[in-house]
Amino acid sequence: MAAYKAKQMIVMRRDLKMRKGKIAAQAGHACVDAVLKALAARGTTLGEDGEPVFAADDDSALAAWFSAGVAKVCVYVDGEEALLDVAEQGMDEGFVVSLVRDAGITEFHGEPTYTCLAFEPLFPEQVDPITGDLPLY
């Protein structure tokens, strides 16, 4: 396996004090959505083994991420405004950003609530200007 060159950043809201299972579910939703959207945007096909097929000379962050073992880093913000700000910065840069809004049925008193986001896999020099100063979750 190659060394990690790209990473997927997940940004959670710590102020919501979600249960561990809820955190895992929300992060999972965001991660999968961002990766699927990134694959679709590139028109990436899947091989017979279900793995994405990249050209041998593909030097994209997405190809590097898959070849090295899908590294993820989870950081946090305290509040909806901060989460939405990070999402806006990413979208302004043209990145795929999956912003998760929970329906609020099992938590949050029935109120739909933004819980987290995930970026498509990116090189550190692309995403660190946005997330590099956020603390690890």
Side-chain angles (χ1 to χ4, degrees), residues 15-26:
D15 63 301
L16 294 174
K17 302 193 184 328
M18 292 180 279
R19 296 172 289 118
K20 289 178 185 176
K22 187 70 165 183
I23 292 168
Q26 298 299 291

Side-chain angles (χ1 to χ4, degrees), residues 17 21 26-27 29 61 77 89 102 116 130:
K17 302 193 184 328
Q26 298 299 291
H29 294 320
V77 294
Q89 289 179 58
D102 186 77
C116 67
I130 300 170

Side-chain angles (χ1 to χ4, degrees), residues 34-87:
V35 171
L36 289 176
K37 286 178 179 174
L39 288 168
R42 291 176 47 97
T44 305
T45 60
L46 300 180
E48 289 182 18
D49 60 359
E51 292 292 320
V53 177
F54 297 101
D57 63 346
D58 189 333
D59 61 355
S60 69
L62 192 59
W65 187 72
F66 271 101
S67 72
V70 298
K72 296 175 185 67
V73 178
C74 193
V75 295
Y76 71 87
V77 294
D78 281 316
E80 181 177 287
E81 186 176 328
L83 184 71
L84 295 176
D85 182 57
V86 171

Side-chain angles (χ1 to χ4, degrees), residues 25 32 51-52 72 88 93 97 106 125 128:
V32 169
E51 292 292 320
K72 296 175 185 67
E88 184 177 355
E93 291 295 323
V97 178
T106 60
E125 59 270 17
D128 286 354

Side-chain angles (χ1 to χ4, degrees), residues 10-12 18-33 74 98-102 106-108 115-118 137:
I10 305 151
V11 182
M12 300 296 303
M18 292 180 279
R19 296 172 289 118
K20 289 178 185 176
K22 187 70 165 183
I23 292 168
Q26 298 299 291
H29 294 320
C31 290
V32 169
D33 187 59
C74 193
S98 177
L99 180 62
V100 173
R101 188 173 189 194
D102 186 77
T106 60
E107 293 191 27
F108 317 126
T115 59
C116 67
L117 64 80
Y137 195 90

